[in-house]
């Protein structure tokens, strides 16, 4: 892409031109997924991050302030999101390790605890609002990616993310006595 064309693509996307967005998506998607995979070593996570970055690009198109090429902008955005993902995993692992260490001193009857927890989770999932419950079950039990759920339900990936987040918040509150 020449500098002038590059500027035209950015302006077209900023103006809401879906064709320009599609051209950028087609030109960058595969290489962004490969790049994300080199960082994360997980193809599903890599695709999710790249898709999320394109969604954010489109949703925030009116505020685009790209100094160089849109391709380098997307690579930087994917890189930053991958690093955030790795940091999040590190925090989760530290929390898990700390929790396991703290629990190691207490004696529990695992079979009773697991059964009670399982029942409480099932009960709480049933209390979720219908759309939230459907999305949560598809995400967590059927192990579908957000993009697959969005396609099946004909709603945006952003809605899927919000509904899963909502379900997890409700579960955390309802399961606080078990954690």
């Amino acid at each position: 892409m020449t500098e002038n064309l590059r500027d035209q693509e950015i302006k077209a996307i900023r103006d809401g031109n879906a064709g320009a967005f599609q051209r950028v998506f087609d030109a960058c998607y595969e290489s962004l997924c490969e790049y994300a995979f080199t960082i994360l070593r997980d193809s599903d996570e890599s695709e999710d991050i790249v898709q999320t970055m394109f969604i954010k690009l489109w949703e925030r198109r009116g505020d685009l302030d790209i100094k160089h090429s849109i391709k380098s902008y997307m690579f930087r955005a994917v890189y930053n999101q991958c690093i955030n993902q790795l940091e999040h995993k590190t925090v989760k692992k530290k929390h898990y390790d700390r929790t396991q260490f703290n629990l190691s001193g207490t004696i529990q009857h695992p079979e009773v605890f697991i059964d009670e927890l399982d029942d409480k989770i099932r009960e709480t999932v049933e209390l979720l609002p219908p759309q939230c419950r459907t999305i949560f079950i598809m995400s967590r039990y059927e192990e579908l990616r957000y993009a697959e759920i969005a396609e099946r339900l004909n709603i945006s990936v952003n809605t899927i993310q919000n509904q899963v987040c909502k379900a997890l918040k409700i579960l955390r509150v309802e399961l606080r006595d078990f954690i």
Side-chain angles (χ1 to χ4, degrees), residues 1-177:
M1 263 188 223
T2 66
E3 179 110 11
N4 193 25
L5 275 176
R6 196 178 323 136
D7 291 341
Q8 289 174 349
E9 290 291 326
I10 294 168
K11 183 182 178 332
I13 291 171
R14 200 178 292 132
D15 293 339
N17 183 323
F21 178 80
Q22 186 65 49
R23 285 189 296 277
V24 170
F25 180 88
D26 293 341
C28 300
Y29 182 78
E30 289 299 321
S31 55
L32 287 170
C33 287
E34 290 169 5
Y35 178 63
F37 181 79
T38 64
I39 298 168
L40 299 173
R41 299 288 183 219
D42 182 309
S43 59
D44 287 338
E45 257 185 318
S46 298
E47 283 185 39
D48 286 345
I49 283 178
V50 171
Q51 289 170 1
T52 299
M53 292 299 95
F54 272 107
I55 289 167
K56 287 181 180 181
L57 174 70
W58 183 252
E59 288 175 344
R60 299 175 182 162
R61 66 188 175 273
D63 299 327
L64 282 181
D65 185 25
I66 299 174
K67 304 289 187 225
H68 303 288
S69 76
I70 196 158
K71 189 172 185 175
S72 64
Y73 174 86
M74 289 303 293
F75 270 91
R76 174 55 65 185
V78 167
Y79 171 81
N80 290 337
Q81 192 62 33
C82 287
I83 297 303
N84 289 345
Q85 183 76 5
L86 290 173
E87 288 173 353
H88 180 69
K89 281 182 180 179
T90 303
V91 169
K92 278 175 60 176
K93 181 168 178 7
K94 284 180 183 177
H95 177 71
Y96 175 80
D97 290 346
R98 192 175 331 117
T99 303
Q100 292 306 307
F101 177 75
N102 290 340
L103 289 178
S104 65
T106 61
I107 299 173
Q108 300 229 356
H109 300 286
E111 63 283 345
V112 174
F113 179 76
I114 289 172
D115 289 343
E116 287 177 24
L117 180 60
D118 210 26
D119 290 343
K120 184 65 176 174
I121 291 172
R122 216 174 289 114
E123 192 178 291
T124 304
V125 168
E126 287 303 313
L127 296 175
L128 293 172
Q131 183 183 28
C132 186
R133 178 178 53 242
T134 301
I135 291 169
F136 183 78
I137 288 170
M138 292 173 86
S139 171
R140 294 305 195 257
Y141 294 119
E142 295 176 24
E143 298 180 0
L144 296 175
R145 292 189 346 244
Y146 289 178
E148 293 172 313
I149 298 168
E151 188 177 308
R152 284 190 186 180
L153 299 179
N154 198 25
I155 54 180
S156 74
V157 173
N158 202 24
T159 300
I160 303 299
Q161 290 171 329
N162 290 336
Q163 291 296 315
V164 169
C165 189
K166 178 180 178 179
L168 291 172
K169 284 179 184 175
I170 292 169
L171 283 165
R172 274 187 216 103
V173 168
E174 292 297 319
L175 300 173
R176 69 183 169 271
D177 295 337

